[in-house]
Amino acid sequence: MIVKRPTFSLRPTITHSILETVLKRCHIYKQFKQILSQMILTGFINDTFAASRLLKFSTDSPFIHVNYSQKIFTHIEYPNGFIYNTMMRAYLQTTNPERVMSVYKFMLQNYDEPDNFSYPILLQSCSLRLAEFEGKLIQAQVLKMGFGIDVYINNTLITMYAVCGNLSDARRVFDESPVLDLVSWNSILAGYVSSGDIEEAKYIYDRMPERNIIASNSMIVLFGRKGNVVEALRLFNEMTEKDLVSWSALISCYEKNDMHEEALAIFKAMNANKVIVDEVMVISVLSACCHLAVVKIGKSIHGLVLKIGLSSYINLQNALIHMYSSGRELMDAQKLFGDGCCLDQISWNSMINGYVTSGEIEKAKALFDSMPEKDIVSWTVMISGYVQNERFDESLTLFQKMQLDGIRPDETTLVSVLSACTHLSALDQGRWIHAYIKRTSININVILGTTLIDMYMKFGFIESALEIFHEMKERRVSTWNALILGLALNGLVNESLNMFSEMHESGVVPNEITFIAVLAACRHMGLVDDGRNYFNSMINEHRIEPNVKHYGCMVDLLGRAGMLKEAEDLIKEMPMPPDVSTWGALLGACKKYGDKEMGERVGRRLIEIQPDHEGFHVLLSNIYASKGNWNDVIELREVMMQQGVVKTPGCSMIEANGTVHEFLAGDKSHPQIEAIEQMLDEIAYRLKMDGYAPNTHEVHLDIDEEEKEINLFRHSEKLAIAFGLVTISHPAPIRIMKNLRICNDCHTAAKLISQSFDREIVVRDRHRFHHFKQGSCSCMDYW
């Protein structure tokens, strides 16, 4: 249908040349409004050419809003293709791509046809909105109108499909294009680079008739992202011409692949070539300085930043604050933070994290409280800071305040909170957080899933830990390690070792920590031959050099099995100096098996190595007491007093009704002490009826037997068990966390209590779990 437009006769007061001159002199919005008013009053706005010049000026001017340009557009009675394209391009450039299509529809309704300049704009709007279906419709119109041979349109089609993730259609357009220019090759290459398809990207790059810097830089970025640093460097060296992006891409490649020294070396080479740096490159280099803890080099880079005038960039300021704070140069970080004129959320968070990293938790909290606005990172940094500084109660309190403020936690926040729950034995809180994760559909990533497994294992909830493990879509070696060690600590040694075999079969490569977990499983059940085999397999099959912890596990394994001489010989053969834990394992074995001579020798050696360690003093004192050498006991305790060595009291924690209760040995301060005392009497009566006799050898004091029996019944775990029987209803298990190793007498008593009261009792001591049920323990009396 052809519409005949009316003609008109108008003698405007301004001409095209006058309009051009006036627009060139127009620099403010008020002047422009005057020009527009005059054109409307005179009717000159209906002159299509004049209207097109006015609209073009409006859309290009920084002081005119796009909505005002839209009003001008609606006043134009007879728009042409140039005017439609100008308005669509204006929406595209002002991040209003959804309104491009409305102009296009208006164009079609007026029976005006788009031209070869219209379609690229429409396709770019589809790219920005990821509107692939609309892009396909536009492509159909392109073919219908005969623009299928236009290289510019085909290039935007390639980009549109690539951005939308449809590389097959992008490639089809590329392959079917009758004309290909450099933009065509770069567009399809950019699509493959963006998707990470290194094989197709290399195929395209190798066949490019002309390789420009843009293509080579893209390939360096892709190689870096895929960890192929050698190829990235080879390509960089082959480039006859390099720009700033080339150097930045290679530095970023090294930095992202943890090759921080190489990143700094390339930066120095770039400076030697007198390439002017930008803020993006400097940020990558400062990140390398942080990882290498080379604050001195970072300071020299800071000097370069000041010299070339880049210090005003906020992202660069934040990188410098992070570099100084992570390097514990807090005064420099504080100065940058205090002098910053355009601080953002990252600036505040970086400074708080710097205080946290340096242990300045009070300064971190003061800065946190003074923040004008807090985001999820601010809360997470502060909560994790409390956890890192072992202030677990305060981390949970802050987490509760965070929720009251309406901030939704993310995976990182919850990892810290769950760690606090584990340390505080706050099982109910930990289970509530797990329920919250399920209720809010928070993604359980590898770190969060591993933390949940670790928490449940340390509370003895093996089924819950296994359930999470099997539900996880992605598992890393850390996940398997948490499960293997958790099963071992809970006495499920066979299941732990079977899980190690399953891990091996699934293709996950074990690391040093894996073998510490496996050796721990062996030592918890006295599997000496298996332990030796795993130790040798680690060295010969997996090529992992054993460290002091692995040797410590083997010494502990041999010592627990009574093979004290072999354990001592292994210590002498170690390729590195043994640590105090290794000697301590042997000392504990000497006490267990009554080798008083070796125990005294090892104990004295340990006190020489670490004179402030109360545990070694206590063990040596116990060995003296077992030999009846009370004078030596008194002398050793006097030395402890002189050196300020204080014996850590036994402490047991139990959670009841959402509150964690703490008991010390001989504690009488609990509000329910009367009920606890009555329950202790009931326990003593029942156990006596079952033939229990207190193991007074556990009390290494020069007192009579009756006093020793009373002393034994005031151990912290017995107080906690009595409290659990009073407050926790059957059949819920009584779960206790103890800071020291459970003694033989308490272990025997717990077995009998579980049978006499028909209650499951779970005790996690310093070394492992003990699941007491119907008179037996999961450790099978081997601990």
Side-chain angles (χ1 to χ4, degrees):
M1 178 178 179
I2 300 174
V3 178
K4 187 176 181 182
R5 292 176 176 168
T7 58
F8 63 90
S9 175
L10 181 67
R11 298 176 62 84
T13 56
I14 56 176
T15 63
H16 293 159
S17 59
I18 293 174
L19 177 63
E20 292 285 354
T21 303
V22 172
L23 288 175
K24 285 179 182 178
R25 295 175 181 174
C26 180
H27 300 296
I28 58 174
Y29 178 62
K30 185 177 179 180
Q31 291 174 341
F32 182 77
K33 282 187 70 176
Q34 291 174 348
I35 296 170
L36 177 62
S37 298
Q38 189 176 4
M39 287 187 67
I40 293 173
L41 288 173
T42 61
F44 199 44
I45 191 71
N46 294 323
D47 183 295
T48 302
F49 178 78
S52 69
R53 303 315 301 160
L54 186 74
L55 183 65
K56 183 71 170 61
F57 180 86
S58 173
T59 57
D60 290 346
S61 299
F63 56 85
I64 301 176
H65 195 275
V66 69
N67 290 343
Y68 198 78
S69 298
Q70 169 67 25
K71 291 181 180 179
I72 297 172
F73 175 73
T74 56
H75 271 89
I76 300 174
E77 191 172 353
Y78 307 112
N80 59 13
F82 180 85
I83 291 173
Y84 284 116
N85 293 342
T86 300
M87 196 65 237
M88 288 192 291
R89 190 176 291 106
Y91 281 134
L92 194 68
Q93 293 170 348
T94 54
T95 63
N96 288 283
E98 69 283 350
R99 300 185 69 177
V100 172
M101 199 57 67
S102 63
V103 177
Y104 175 61
K105 290 176 181 177
F106 181 70
M107 182 183 192
L108 296 179
Q109 287 169 2
N110 286 342
Y111 303 101
D112 291 311
E113 294 180 352
D115 57 22
N116 60 321
F117 294 105
S118 309
Y119 291 115
I121 300 172
L122 292 165
L123 291 168
Q124 288 174 51
S125 79
C126 293
S127 297
L128 291 173
R129 292 179 294 118
L130 300 178
E132 184 185 347
F133 179 73
E134 287 184 11
K136 285 181 177 291
L137 296 178
I138 299 298
Q139 184 185 15
Q141 285 293 316
V142 166
L143 297 174
K144 181 180 178 182
M145 299 300 294
F147 291 118
I149 61 171
D150 190 295
V151 66
Y152 184 38
I153 295 175
N154 284 335
N155 290 344
T156 51
L157 266 171
I158 293 168
T159 300
M160 186 274 296
Y161 280 124
V163 167
C164 293
N166 187 349
L167 267 300
S168 59
D169 279 353
R171 182 60 175 272
R172 180 178 54 79
V173 174
F174 176 83
D175 290 338
E176 294 177 357
S177 295
V179 179
L180 295 173
D181 60 8
L182 190 56
V183 176
S184 313
W185 287 93
N186 282 338
S187 298
I188 192 64
L189 177 64
Y192 286 124
V193 168
S194 179
S195 68
D197 191 336
I198 196 166
E199 294 303 321
E200 287 298 328
K202 285 175 68 176
Y203 178 85
I204 292 294
Y205 182 77
D206 290 341
R207 282 155 183 76
M208 290 182 72
E210 179 187 351
R211 296 174 191 167
N212 62 355
I213 294 178
I214 296 173
S216 299
N217 292 344
S218 296
M219 289 302 297
I220 293 173
V221 169
L222 179 59
F223 285 135
R225 197 188 308 158
K226 293 296 182 179
N228 197 338
V229 182
V230 174
E231 279 295 300
L233 180 62
R234 181 191 61 77
L235 181 56
F236 178 84
N237 289 332
E238 288 177 356
M239 292 174 67
T240 55
E241 185 182 353
K242 303 177 181 71
D243 61 5
L244 178 61
V245 178
S246 314
W247 291 92
S248 293
L250 187 62
I251 290 172
S252 177
C253 167
Y254 279 128
E255 199 270 326
K256 287 179 179 177
N257 286 280
D258 297 328
M259 299 174 68
H260 308 295
E261 291 182 3
E262 290 81 356
L264 289 181
I266 291 295
F267 180 71
K268 290 176 182 177
M270 188 198 74
N271 275 334
N273 281 271
K274 297 182 179 180
V275 179
I276 299 175
V277 302
D278 66 356
E279 72 279 5
V280 176
M281 176 184 290
V282 175
I283 289 170
S284 292
V285 176
L286 288 173
S287 175
C289 292
C290 287
H291 283 95
L292 294 172
V294 285
V295 181
K296 188 176 180 180
I297 296 176
K299 282 186 176 182
S300 65
I301 293 170
H302 187 189
L304 177 64
V305 166
L306 295 172
K307 182 179 178 181
I308 60 180
L310 294 175
S311 58
S312 60
Y313 288 95
I314 184 64
N315 290 337
L316 189 48
Q317 287 182 30
N318 291 338
L320 284 165
I321 291 171
H322 177 67
M323 187 268 297
Y324 281 123
S325 59
S326 63
R328 307 203 174 189
E329 297 281 348
L330 289 182
M331 290 184 64
D332 290 316
Q334 182 63 59
K335 186 176 186 307
L336 272 170
F337 182 80
D339 294 344
C341 57
C342 301
L343 299 175
D344 62 4
Q345 203 72 36
I346 298 174
S347 315
W348 287 83
N349 293 339
S350 297
M351 198 65 234
I352 292 171
N353 188 61
Y355 284 132
V356 164
T357 304
S358 301
E360 300 275 2
I361 195 71
E362 297 303 332
K363 288 184 179 179
K365 185 60 166 61
L367 192 60
F368 175 82
D369 290 338
S370 66
M371 288 183 75
E373 185 179 346
K374 303 176 182 71
D375 61 8
I376 180 61
V377 177
S378 317
W379 290 93
T380 300
V381 167
M382 201 63 233
I383 290 169
S384 64
Y386 278 131
V387 172
Q388 290 166 27
N389 286 273
E390 298 185 359
R391 292 167 64 167
F392 306 112
D393 282 312
E394 288 162 282
S395 71
L396 293 185
T397 301
L398 192 61
F399 175 65
Q400 290 168 354
K401 189 175 185 304
M402 171 186 171
Q403 290 178 294
L404 291 174
D405 282 13
I407 306 296
R408 186 175 184 266
D410 61 9
E411 295 88 343
T412 308
T413 318
L414 295 172
V415 166
S416 294
V417 176
L418 287 169
S419 297
C421 293
T422 304
H423 281 91
L424 291 172
S425 304
L427 172 61
D428 288 349
Q429 179 82 343
R431 295 181 76 179
W432 181 88
I433 291 169
H434 187 198
Y436 174 83
I437 291 169
K438 289 181 177 178
R439 187 172 66 252
T440 56
S441 300
I442 291 176
N443 175 47
I444 297 183
N445 59 19
V446 172
I447 299 174
L448 182 56
T450 302
T451 306
L452 278 167
I453 291 170
D454 180 65
M455 181 195 74
Y456 277 124
M457 282 297 186
K458 286 178 179 174
F459 283 126
F461 277 74
I462 302 161
E463 295 80 8
S464 298
L466 286 169
E467 180 183 344
I468 293 165
F469 177 82
H470 291 303
E471 287 177 354
M472 288 176 67
K473 296 178 181 177
E474 182 187 1
R475 303 170 192 148
R476 293 181 189 166
V477 63
S478 58
T479 315
W480 289 91
N481 291 347
L483 194 69
I484 293 167
L485 183 59
L487 290 168
L489 290 174
N490 280 278
L492 300 173
V493 173
N494 290 331
E495 291 83 346
S496 174
L497 297 178
N498 289 338
M499 196 57 68
F500 173 70
S501 299
E502 188 177 326
M503 170 189 175
H504 194 269
E505 291 169 4
S506 68
V508 178
V509 179
N511 60 12
E512 295 177 353
I513 298 172
T514 313
F515 281 99
I516 290 174
V518 170
L519 293 174
C522 294
R523 73 182 183 180
H524 284 314
M525 203 55 70
L527 305 176
V528 176
D529 290 338
D530 289 333
R532 287 194 184 109
N533 291 334
Y534 285 121
F535 187 79
N536 293 330
S537 168
M538 175 182 70
I539 300 170
N540 300 323
E541 182 181 346
H542 297 280
R543 306 298 178 188
I544 296 174
E545 193 71 26
N547 58 35
V548 69
K549 292 186 182 296
H550 297 111
Y551 280 103
C553 286
M554 288 301 298
V555 169
D556 195 19
L557 172 62
L558 294 169
R560 286 171 187 259
M563 306 168 74
L564 303 182
K565 182 67 172 60
E566 186 177 344
E568 187 176 27
D569 290 342
L570 181 60
I571 289 178
K572 294 175 182 177
E573 295 169 4
M574 286 173 60
M576 74 285 293
D579 61 1
V580 291
S581 298
T582 306
W583 283 112
L586 182 58
L587 179 60
C590 292
K591 179 182 177 296
K592 178 179 178 181
Y593 287 99
D595 192 332
K596 298 169 185 176
E597 299 305 320
M598 182 185 288
E600 187 175 340
R601 186 173 72 252
V602 172
R604 288 186 178 278
R605 176 74 180 273
L606 271 168
I607 290 174
E608 290 175 7
I609 296 173
Q610 194 166 345
D612 60 342
H613 194 292
E614 52 87 14
F616 302 145
H617 286 83
V618 171
L619 277 173
L620 183 57
S621 174
N622 291 346
I623 290 172
Y624 285 147
S626 66
K627 295 170 68 175
N629 297 341
W630 296 108
N631 290 333
D632 289 337
V633 171
I634 293 169
E635 181 184 343
L636 185 59
R637 291 187 177 178
E638 287 177 352
V639 171
M640 289 175 68
M641 290 180 63
Q642 291 171 5
Q643 295 181 348
V645 180
V646 181
K647 181 181 182 297
T648 302
C651 173
S652 295
M653 293 182 289
I654 178 172
E655 186 176 22
N657 302 318
T659 303
V660 177
H661 300 258
E662 203 171 83
F663 293 92
L664 298 175
D667 198 349
K668 291 189 176 183
S669 62
H670 196 277
Q672 295 173 258
I673 189 62
E674 289 186 12
I676 295 169
E677 295 278 6
Q678 290 176 9
M679 181 56 69
L680 283 172
D681 291 339
E682 175 67 19
I683 290 171
Y685 174 76
R686 291 201 190 187
L687 295 192
K688 190 173 183 180
M689 292 297 99
D690 291 337
Y692 162 76
N695 183 3
T696 55
H697 294 295
E698 290 287 332
V699 184
H700 299 290
L701 298 172
D702 193 12
I703 55 177
D704 60 38
E705 290 300 306
E706 185 178 352
E707 286 182 278
K708 286 185 177 182
E709 289 186 19
I710 294 170
N711 184 282
L712 279 173
F713 251 83
R714 306 298 304 184
H715 278 194
S716 64
E717 52 265 66
K718 289 194 180 80
L719 292 170
I721 290 173
F723 173 76
L725 290 171
V726 169
T727 57
I728 299 174
S729 302
H730 188 277
I734 297 171
R735 300 180 182 276
I736 297 167
M737 310 276 277
K738 186 176 179 186
N739 64 331
L740 303 175
R741 179 184 179 274
I742 188 172
C743 72
N744 290 326
D745 182 74
C746 287
H747 192 271
T748 301
K751 287 195 296 183
L752 294 172
I753 293 169
S754 71
Q755 185 174 35
S756 179
F757 288 82
D758 190 25
R759 296 299 297 271
E760 182 183 354
I761 301 170
V762 182
V763 178
R764 179 194 167 200
D765 71 5
R766 193 171 184 173
H767 297 289
R768 64 175 300 161
F769 270 93
H770 300 268
H771 294 258
F772 300 99
K773 199 170 185 180
Q774 291 300 317
S776 63
C777 179
S778 59
C779 74
M780 292 184 276
D781 298 335
Y782 188 91
W783 86 99

